[in-house]
């Protein structure tokens, strides 16, 4: 009796197992049929150029791989068509340039080939138009920049025309100030900067034969000025000086002053000057820089 009951239980379990497997297979089969139906509907919509609707159906299919359906390829094709319809040529071209479809209808393959040709042609035109647009934009930016710089230059020159040369002024503007053009004779000496010698240009501005202003330039920039306008008009021999550099210089040429009443120790008549800057201005050719001239001037007082 016990053996009969045990046998019945085993038979029942086996039947349940078989029924469960059959149910799973049935469900899987039904899912497959639904997926195929959805896929086929999407393909038919694509054949009718309804790519957005086809894309929405394809997105409903889970990511399980079905060997007889190119779901990813169809999604890429639909996306490319949607991008093209939105005038997004770059995305459309990127989507189809290397796209190959498998297990699709001949109509879809024909559409793909035709679409690739159209997108490729439009993409080449797009690139040409893009290059032209970028070039025109660059030219416009350059034009606007040039106009801004020209306006700034004009404004600067207007302000400069009311000033005299100043320390820091670019040498190219030396003749654009209120003093007009300097003397055609440019004097020179040497400026030592960090142990390296540079030629210094000295520009004299004259009123008649009298120098009323001098600007000294090194490396394309004014580094020192002597303003004698007020002193000349008042008959004084001294001048004011401004310098942007405490450098040492030696000269190539300069006028020298002398006095019959000077002592043998004061061969440059430093005692006749009220300040060392004016003394250095007249004798920069005779000293190794302003500091040396200043020491000489102090010793002569």
């Amino acid at each position: 009796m016990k053996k009969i009951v045990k046998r019945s239980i085993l038979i029942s379990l086996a039947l349940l197992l078989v029924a469960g497997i059959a149910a799973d297979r049935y469900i899987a089969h039904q899912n497959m049929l639904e997926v195929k139906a959805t896929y086929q509907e999407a393909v038919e919509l694509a054949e009718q150029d309804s790519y957005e609707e086809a894309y929405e159906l394809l997105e409903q299919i889970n990511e399980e791989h079905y060997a007889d359906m190119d779901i990813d390829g169809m999604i890429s094709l639909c996306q490319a068509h949607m991008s093209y319809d939105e005038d997004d040529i770059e995305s459309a071209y990127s989507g189809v340039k290397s796209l190959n479809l498998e297990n699709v209808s001949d109509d879809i393959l024909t559409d793909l080939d035709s679409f690739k040709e159209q997108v490729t042609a439009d993409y080449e035109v797009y690139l040409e138009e893009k290059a032209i647009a970028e070039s025109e934009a660059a030219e416009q930016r350059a034009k606007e920049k040039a106009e801004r710089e020209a306006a700034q230059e004009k404004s600067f020159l207007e302000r400069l025309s009311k000033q005299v040369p100043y320390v820091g002024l670019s040498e190219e503007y030396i003749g654009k100030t209120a003093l007009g053009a300097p003397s055609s004779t440019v004097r020179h000496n040497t400026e030592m900067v960090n142990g390296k010698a540079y030629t210094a240009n000295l520009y004299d501005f004259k009123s008649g034969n009298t120098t009323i202003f001098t600007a000294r330039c090194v490396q394309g920039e004014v580094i020192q000025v002597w303003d004698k306008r007020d002193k000349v008009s008042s008959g004084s021999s001294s001048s004011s000086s401004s310098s942007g550099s405490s450098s040492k210089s030696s000269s190539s040429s300069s006028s020298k002053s002398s006095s019959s009443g000077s002592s043998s120790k004061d061969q440059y008549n430093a005692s006749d000057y009220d300040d060392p800057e004016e003394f250095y201005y007249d004798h920069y050719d005779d000293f190794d820089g302003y500091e040396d001239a200043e020491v000489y001037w102090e010793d002569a007082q």
Side-chain angles (χ1 to χ4, degrees), residues 207-219:
S207 176
N209 293 323
T210 304
T211 298
I212 60 172
F213 197 98
T214 298
R216 185 165 180 261
C217 299
V218 175
Q219 291 184 282

Side-chain angles (χ1 to χ4, degrees), residues 20 22 58 64 66 98 106-108 112 115 159 163 186 212 246 291 299:
L58 291 167
E64 185 177 354
Y66 296 96
S98 58
D106 291 340
D107 289 342
I108 293 295
L112 176 59
F115 185 53
R159 295 194 304 272
Q163 300 175 272
V186 181
I212 60 172
S246 59
E291 294 176 354
D299 291 343

Side-chain angles (χ1 to χ4, degrees), residues 30-45 57-58 61 69:
Q30 287 299 113
N31 288 339
M32 172 65 77
L33 291 178
E34 291 179 4
V35 167
K36 285 187 175 182
T38 301
Y39 178 77
Q40 184 59 37
E41 184 180 358
V43 170
E44 291 174 357
L45 286 169
L57 285 178
L58 291 167
I61 302 176
M69 290 179 282

Side-chain angles (χ1 to χ4, degrees), residues 68-299:
D68 57 345
M69 290 179 282
D70 193 349
I71 297 173
D72 291 339
M74 285 299 300
I75 287 176
S76 296
L77 176 62
C78 291
Q79 287 177 322
H81 271 284
M82 291 161 62
S83 296
Y84 186 79
D85 291 342
E86 296 173 355
D87 293 327
D88 186 355
I89 303 300
E90 282 190 284
S91 296
Y93 179 75
S94 176
V96 299
K97 64 180 179 179
S98 58
L99 179 60
N100 294 305
L101 297 177
E102 298 177 354
N103 300 318
V104 296
S105 67
D106 291 340
D107 289 342
I108 293 295
L109 291 176
T110 301
D111 170 73
L112 176 59
D113 292 339
S114 176
F115 185 53
K116 276 186 177 181
E117 291 180 5
Q118 182 63 49
V119 171
T120 300
D122 289 351
Y123 183 68
E124 291 175 355
V125 173
Y126 164 78
L127 290 179
E128 292 176 0
E129 293 176 345
K130 181 180 179 181
I132 293 173
E134 290 177 348
S135 176
E136 291 177 346
E139 290 178 1
Q140 182 62 27
R141 289 193 298 270
K143 179 181 178 182
E144 292 173 354
K145 180 181 178 182
E147 290 174 349
R148 287 196 304 271
E149 291 176 347
Q152 293 171 354
E153 178 82 355
K154 180 180 178 182
S155 177
F156 170 73
L157 290 175
E158 288 176 352
R159 295 194 304 272
L160 186 62
S161 67
K162 301 174 184 178
Q163 300 175 272
V164 296
Y166 54 85
V167 172
L169 177 66
S170 175
E171 189 172 359
E172 65 179 302
Y173 298 112
I174 199 69
K176 305 292 185 181
T177 70
L179 298 179
S183 170
S184 59
T185 301
V186 181
R187 296 180 290 130
H188 306 282
N189 62 6
T190 301
E191 178 78 10
M192 300 299 295
V193 179
N194 297 325
K196 186 175 181 179
Y198 294 89
T199 298
N201 301 324
L202 287 94
Y203 297 91
D204 294 318
F205 296 84
K206 297 179 178 291
S207 176
N209 293 323
T210 304
T211 298
I212 60 172
F213 197 98
T214 298
R216 185 165 180 261
C217 299
V218 175
Q219 291 184 282
E221 184 177 291
V222 176
I223 67 165
Q224 192 171 17
V225 296
W226 289 270
D227 189 350
K228 301 177 63 176
R229 291 172 297 165
D230 293 340
K231 305 303 179 181
V232 169
S233 63
S234 64
S236 172
S237 63
S238 61
S239 69
S240 62
S241 170
S242 175
S243 173
S245 169
S246 59
S247 57
K248 292 184 177 182
S249 64
S250 60
S251 67
S252 59
S253 65
S254 172
S255 60
K256 299 180 178 60
S257 63
S258 62
S259 171
S260 59
S262 63
S263 66
S264 59
K265 293 183 179 180
D266 186 12
Q267 59 178 318
Y268 302 121
N269 304 314
S271 59
D272 293 341
Y273 292 86
D274 294 330
D275 64 70
E277 291 180 345
E278 171 63 15
F279 173 67
Y280 175 64
Y281 169 75
D282 285 345
H283 297 281
Y284 67 85
D285 190 36
D286 301 306
F287 295 91
D288 199 25
Y290 174 76
E291 294 176 354
D292 290 343
E294 183 179 31
V295 171
Y296 182 93
W297 178 85
E298 290 175 347
D299 291 343

